[in-house]
Every structure is written in structure tokens, then in C-alpha cells.
Amino acid sequence: MTNNDIFRRIRYTFDLKDNTIVKIFALAEVSVTQEQVTAWLKKDEDDAFVTMKNKELASFLNGFISFKRGKREGPQPAPESQLNNNMVFQKLRIALNMKAEDILEVFEQVGLPLSPHELSAFFRKPSHKNYRECKDQMLRNFLLGVQRQLRPGDNG
């Protein structure tokens, strides 16, 4: 999944309007325009499409955490310049204030049951022997499960 795919799915899942997205970036102390947001949301084959960089998606996710949980005291976290699915998954887990049981339930709903050990492997440090890379399918299914929880009549 590209950064733009992840961004589009989050926007759709949480029914975020463009002006709300601009505010979410502002919570991460990053200034973007509605035109930038629109360009990131375009289809890949559209001439106006702009690829979202890792730092831009990281900034959005940091802002999303503040949007969902409230802005924390002190300096805001710096956006990562390198981003992978595990980091995206972790930021979404934090933003949604989800415990392991909540996430396991999401995967159960989309027909991908996981054990608590399998789940915890996604949140370990890459140097840990039990670390597991979060593949696109896992992140996509997590977002689909959250979408189904928030929009029950929509099977995405």
C-alpha cells in the first residue's frame, strides 16, 4: 500500500473532510493547504495526483493522534522520514486508544483471527527476535475492520 492509499483509507474510514484534514496537520504543527490534500487524494492516474511522502503521512498520523486523543503537553513528536506499515499500525493503535483485545476483535470481524502473540510481534522493535513485519494485507484488513465498526452498513 502506498502512503496515498493509507491516507485515502483513513480519510474514508473516519469520514474526514478536507478542512478537517488541514486541521489535523496543524495539530502536528505542519501547515498544508486544501489543494495539497486534494492532490494526495486523487487517483494515481490523475494528472493532478501528488505522491504523499513518508514525512507527510507521519505528520498526518501524529496530528491524527492529537485529533483523537487530545494534544499532549510539550513539543510535538517529529515526523519520521522513514515509515513502514508497523509504524502506521502503531500510530493508528495509539490514535484509536486500542488495546490488544480490541485489535484482535477487529481482525476476527474481517475473518483474520490472530493470536495475542502474533499481534504483539507487530509492535516489537525490529531488532527483537519475535518482530514481525506488518504486510499490506494486514494493514488493509485492520483498516477495513475499523471501517466496519464505525460504518456498520458499509462493507467497503
Side-chain angles (χ1 to χ4, degrees), residues 35-119:
E35 291 74 25
Q36 282 175 288
V37 171
T38 302
W40 290 325
L41 294 169
K42 298 268 185 209
K43 298 274 187 221
D44 297 12
E45 52 278 348
D46 192 306
D47 289 342
F49 170 81
V50 174
T51 300
M52 186 176 224
K53 295 178 178 63
N54 284 334
K55 214 166 193 158
E56 293 163 337
L57 180 59
S59 294
F60 170 74
L61 291 168
N62 290 346
F64 191 62
I65 291 169
S66 296
F67 177 72
K68 296 299 273 182
R69 298 190 58 168
K71 199 163 180 174
R72 73 180 203 187
E73 295 292 316
Q76 295 306 301
E80 295 81 356
S81 53
Q82 295 298 317
L83 206 55
N84 62 33
N85 286 348
N86 295 64
M87 296 162 84
V88 171
F89 194 5
Q90 174 75 337
K91 287 177 181 286
L92 289 170
R93 183 184 86 143
I94 292 167
L96 301 174
N97 201 17
M98 295 180 94
K99 296 181 179 24
E101 306 81 56
D102 304 325
I103 298 170
L104 293 172
E105 186 178 311
V106 165
F107 280 111
E108 188 77 38
Q109 287 179 340
V110 293
L112 250 179
L114 288 178
S115 74
H117 298 294
E118 289 173 305
L119 178 63

Side-chain angles (χ1 to χ4, degrees), residues 2 12 20 22 25 30 32-33 37-38 45-46 55 62 74 84 92 98 111 130 133 136-137 144 147-148 151 153:
T2 67
Y12 180 77
T20 303
V22 170
F25 272 100
V30 174
V32 299
T33 64
V37 171
T38 302
E45 52 278 348
D46 192 306
K55 214 166 193 158
N62 290 346
N84 62 33
L92 289 170
M98 295 180 94
N130 293 328
E133 182 186 337
D136 287 350
Q137 179 188 9
L144 178 62
Q147 177 185 318
R148 286 181 179 169
R151 304 171 129 199

